[in-house]
Amino acid sequence: MPDSRMTNKNGMVSKIQTRIRTDLFKNNYDLVGKELGRGKFAVVKKCIEKTTGKEYAAKFLRKRRKGEDCRMDIIHEIAVLESAKSNPFVVSLHEVYETTTEIILVLECAAGGEIFNQCVADNDEAFTEQDVIRLARQILMGVACLHRNNVVHLDLKPQNILLTSSRPLGDIRIVDFGLSRCMDNIKELREILGTPEYVAPEVLNYEPISTATDMWSIGVLTYVMLTGESPFLGSDKQETFLNISQINVDYSQDVFEGVSSLAIDFIKSLLQKNPRKRATAEECLKHPWLSGHPHSHLHSSHLSSLDEPETPEESDPEPESPASTPELVIMASYTLCSSQREIKPGRGTFTFDEPFHTHPEIKQELIC
Ligand code: ADP
Ligand code: MG
């Protein structure tokens, strides 16, 4: 866990243990193949370590963004990855390099790519409910572990959940801690980022955010994984925000054809407007949809990972109360970024019968 004394009031950690190498990355690694992915400030490429022949993913992060020095944001991302070293569902960090313009994170390569691809795939390639049960359990075990360590991810979406392999379907790895915050000793948070389709109502309402904010995103994520549809996506950001603030969700049979009612019940336990009523990660793992006998209805060869020591379901942990966690209060402007690629919106049940008043301080600017 990051040392709380190193956490500033915005939940950013400024001390890392990893040695930052200043020798040339390309002396030690060969870049191979095409890009694995990219965001607004990062490009991720596959590389091979020359001495070992092992494959890694190199995330090249620009230190200057929009004319500002963002080195400390990258240091924070490294600190969170360090703190999650023992979390089997968070991508592991191998090495860090720094040049005059960039910091390069050498990460475990999640060769199966984003779960996004299967969320939007045609029927025969799309996830089955059994796949989603296994992957959702892993996501929850990973997130429960982050939350136990007071880390909130704040950008859980299908582009940031990767797979170790796609065929056969492997295990999940959570990536991209660029927006994450460490909640030790936090009283307020002055800047918050998210992705409109996945952002929780409390973020839009300037109410305190907590670990429950991630749980909302897991509800959206599960909906997308099961249906291929994005529950709140409107034709523009304002419509999306209005759908979220009105919890305008379509649970009809049209959307959930062939999906169990337990799965729908699970999603409903997360898409609750009041963060205190939302299930925690530990509680989710005990939900009947996920807590059945996994070995009896799953076919994957990767089930052993479900028995990791992290697995919280056997123990009886203190129920986590969002109310008792340090509150992150959004005080000033924040920006919301849109996902770069599209998932189709749910069945346009939304009617625009009242204007959505965005807070004047929300910059309607895309930042990633
Ligand atoms: P950003 O902060 O720019 O969104 P991410 O860490 O999410 O950066 O990386 C961007 C994309 O690169 C991811 O959505 C994913 O497709 C790919 N990627 C990131 N990390 C890895 C990894 N360890 N292995 C394979 N692909 C990765
Ligand atoms: Mg990302």
Side-chain angles (χ1 to χ4, degrees), residues 234-292:
S235 53
D236 56 28
K237 264 193 285 178
Q238 298 231 331
E239 194 177 306
T240 301
F241 294 157
L242 185 57
N243 287 338
I244 294 167
S245 64
Q246 294 181 339
I247 324 282
N248 187 13
V249 191
D250 184 354
Y251 291 112
S252 72
Q253 271 304 309
D254 285 1
V255 178
F256 281 93
E257 199 193 332
V259 176
S260 71
S261 54
L262 274 179
I264 297 172
D265 184 79
F266 173 84
I267 294 170
K268 285 182 177 166
S269 74
L270 293 173
L271 298 184
Q272 297 278 338
K273 188 156 190 169
N274 182 347
R276 287 160 205 240
K277 290 196 178 149
R278 243 171 258 157
T280 65
E282 308 277 5
E283 286 163 358
C284 282
L285 285 161
K286 293 178 185 153
H287 187 282
W289 184 52
L290 299 178
S291 67

Side-chain angles (χ1 to χ4, degrees), residues 10 213 255 284 351:
N10 290 332
T213 308
V255 178
C284 282
T351 50

Side-chain angles (χ1 to χ4, degrees), residues 36-39 42 44 57 59 91 108-110 114 159-160 162 176:
L36 292 168
R38 64 163 62 216
V44 181
K59 180 172 178 180
V91 77
E108 165 192 13
C109 184
E114 304 169 14
Q159 293 86 347
N160 289 335
L162 309 187
D176 195 356

Side-chain angles (χ1 to χ4, degrees), residues 160-343:
N160 289 335
I161 309 285
L162 309 187
L163 291 163
T164 53
S165 66
S166 58
R167 277 207 209 120
L169 196 58
D171 297 320
I172 69 104
R173 293 291 183 269
I174 302 169
V175 300
D176 195 356
F177 288 80
L179 304 188
S180 69
R181 294 292 182 269
C182 178
M183 293 175 48
D184 295 324
N185 297 339
I186 301 298
K187 295 282 182 298
E188 61 182 36
L189 185 63
R190 290 190 171 267
E191 197 181 39
I192 260 299
L193 310 110
T195 302
E197 287 164 73
Y198 299 89
V199 89
E202 62 270 22
V203 175
L204 299 179
N205 293 337
Y206 298 91
E207 286 161 9
I209 63 167
S210 67
T211 52
T213 308
D214 277 344
M215 300 316 296
W216 171 277
S217 306
I218 292 176
V220 181
L221 192 59
T222 310
Y223 189 112
V224 173
M225 287 167 82
L226 285 167
T227 67
E229 295 191 7
S230 184
F232 299 108
L233 186 62
S235 53
D236 56 28
K237 264 193 285 178
Q238 298 231 331
E239 194 177 306
T240 301
F241 294 157
L242 185 57
N243 287 338
I244 294 167
S245 64
Q246 294 181 339
I247 324 282
N248 187 13
V249 191
D250 184 354
Y251 291 112
S252 72
Q253 271 304 309
D254 285 1
V255 178
F256 281 93
E257 199 193 332
V259 176
S260 71
S261 54
L262 274 179
I264 297 172
D265 184 79
F266 173 84
I267 294 170
K268 285 182 177 166
S269 74
L270 293 173
L271 298 184
Q272 297 278 338
K273 188 156 190 169
N274 182 347
R276 287 160 205 240
K277 290 196 178 149
R278 243 171 258 157
T280 65
E282 308 277 5
E283 286 163 358
C284 282
L285 285 161
K286 293 178 185 153
H287 187 282
W289 184 52
L290 299 178
S291 67
H293 295 287
H295 299 268
S296 65
H297 62 253
L298 295 180
H299 309 291
S300 167
S301 57
H302 300 270
L303 286 168
S304 56
S305 56
L306 298 178
D307 299 325
E308 290 289 338
E310 317 292 331
T311 310
E313 64 198 334
E314 257 79 74
S315 61
D316 195 19
E318 284 280 292
E320 180 188 2
S321 156
S324 65
T325 54
E327 290 187 336
L328 303 181
V329 183
I330 302 158
M331 295 295 292
S333 68
Y334 64 86
T335 53
L336 293 162
C337 59
S338 80
S339 53
Q340 293 144 357
R341 284 147 299 160
E342 301 270 295
I343 291 187

